[in-house]
Amino acid sequence: MLPDSIRRRRILSLAVPIIAAMLTQSLINLIDAALVGSLGEVPLAGVGIGGYAMFLITALVFGLSSGVQAQTAWRHGEQAWQQRALPLNAGLVIALLISLPVTLLCLWQAPRLMELLNPDVEVNAVAVDYFRWRVLSLVAVAMIFCFRGYWNGIEQSGFYLRIMLMMHVVNVAASIGLIFGHLGLPAMGAAGAGAGTTLSLFAGLGLWVLLSFRRAVPSGFLTGLPQRPALLTTLRLAAPHSFQQLWFAAGYAVLFWILGRIDTASVAVGHVLVNLSLLLILPGVGLGMAAMSLVGQSLGQQAHGEAHRWGWDVVRLAWLCLAALALPLAAFPDQVLGLFLHDRELIALARLPLQLTAVMIVLDAAALVLGQALLGAGANRTVMTTTLTLQWLVFLPLAWWVGVVMETGLLGIWWVQLGYRCLNSLWFAMIWQRRQWLRLQV
């Protein structure tokens, strides 16, 4: 058994590049918004609506990352070196088969989709153009998820960070040129931001393919067409996670609809609090992805005790990391809120909910890590049913009843959310401790 210090170093060496890459990845929509902001309010709103629509569509292929990573980690743990990339091959085929028809459908139905998200005709005209350029990259996004899963699964997560940084360089350069018409390029306005982002994603895909041809061919990369069992296994693992991600994102749309039944101030404050929490939990998500690989590798080695211990080792690190991030929110709420809100009444409304958010971030550690670790064990359906049951059958109905019916407003909803996050982590901890996931095969 490895000493604790060596285990911590192994966790961090795998997780830190993932966390850094995820933080930079979250900047893609922010970069587009920042570049388009000078064009005015309508283009900026259109990019926001189009970006959210792309987030929803991307959820359809999100599970390919965990599906490939879990299988790759198992093969790596089994020391089946020549078979490690077979799940990657299967994932790439599935990515192509799903992405192409979805892309064509979205190009055709883009106006109707934007109408469902926003009633403003002028804003939607911008959103449609931006979204159509962005959705062209869906096949690249899906395949990048597969490559990310493979390289994270064999503990080579540093490549993810390097390629993400190169993609950002391409994105900024291409978007500036296409938005404003520099260097002889057409001045496309807000649509240019979507075109630039799509170009950067295909550039990133090219880098992943080049890297894999150089280093992954001995592991079976593109040495033949994937067999039906590999395709079915990858689809079985990916589908629940994609379904979970899609409905999880839709749950936030319902949350903002509930806040809208209270007042506009609650919607504004809610957006700030949710975006802050989603950004600050990224280290927990990154550590969870590290747990996915470490648990999968241990199970591939039939080291069941090690697999169970890795889960809690990563949770402890996540608690420390997320507590450090949450401390400024709890200790200096007015200063943090002042970065986003400039109205004293809004800051007063948001103060206690922000401090509750700080507590939620720490409580989330066990759910974030153990949920990902269970994906590494192949318990994808368990993770999906647990997450969606608590969100849709517990949190959202209680948020409506407490916040709207009982008229406790934003603060009441945030107290409900605190209880929901606590219950979520306790439920995942109980699942992990029961160890029924040890019986699964990937």
Side-chain angles (χ1 to χ4, degrees), residues 38-174:
S38 63
L39 300 180
E41 181 179 318
V42 170
L44 184 59
V47 166
I49 296 297
Y52 182 70
M54 187 62 192
F55 173 67
L56 289 174
I57 298 302
T58 300
L60 296 172
V61 295
F62 187 82
L64 288 171
S65 179
S66 60
V68 171
Q69 184 172 339
Q71 293 180 84
T72 301
W74 275 65
R75 303 294 91 79
H76 188 74
E78 293 169 343
Q79 298 184 3
W81 311 122
Q82 296 179 343
Q83 299 176 19
R84 292 186 303 178
L86 298 185
L88 171 59
N89 297 338
L92 293 174
V93 170
I94 294 170
L96 191 65
L97 293 176
I98 293 176
S99 299
L100 289 181
V102 171
T103 298
L104 291 175
L105 180 63
C106 288
L107 289 172
W108 174 38
Q109 291 294 321
R112 183 166 296 180
L113 177 59
M114 297 308 120
E115 288 173 5
L116 292 174
L117 297 174
N118 180 68
D120 191 298
V121 176
E122 191 177 2
V123 169
N124 282 349
V126 176
V128 167
D129 288 341
Y130 174 80
F131 173 72
R132 279 175 167 161
W133 278 106
R134 283 292 304 272
V135 83
L136 290 174
S137 69
L138 184 62
V139 64
V141 171
M143 289 185 172
I144 286 172
F145 282 151
C146 297
F147 283 112
R148 184 183 76 181
Y150 170 76
W151 289 100
N152 288 348
I154 62 172
E155 296 193 49
Q156 297 292 322
S157 56
F159 291 118
Y160 176 30
L161 174 59
R162 294 173 208 168
I163 291 177
M164 279 302 306
L165 292 175
M166 287 185 274
M167 285 169 56
H168 281 305
V169 173
V170 175
N171 184 23
V172 172

Side-chain angles (χ1 to χ4, degrees), residues 16 23 50 58 60 93 96 120-121 132 149 151 154 162 214 230 236-237 279 322 335 359 386 410 412-413 439:
V16 169
L23 287 170
T58 300
L60 296 172
V93 170
L96 191 65
D120 191 298
V121 176
R132 279 175 167 161
W151 289 100
I154 62 172
R162 294 173 208 168
R214 287 182 174 178
R236 173 177 59 83
L237 293 173
L279 178 64
L322 294 178
Q335 289 81 352
V359 179
T386 299
L410 175 75
I413 290 174
R439 305 173 187 172

Side-chain angles (χ1 to χ4, degrees), residues 269 333-354:
V269 169
D334 287 16
Q335 289 81 352
V336 173
L337 291 167
L339 299 173
F340 308 95
L341 303 171
H342 306 287
D343 185 304
R344 289 186 178 181
E345 291 185 3
L346 290 181
I347 292 175
L349 176 64
R351 186 179 297 118
L352 183 52
L354 179 65

Side-chain angles (χ1 to χ4, degrees), residues 389-401:
T389 297
L390 290 177
Q391 183 187 26
W392 284 88
L393 299 184
V394 177
F395 169 59
L396 292 174
L398 279 176
W400 166 262
W401 183 66

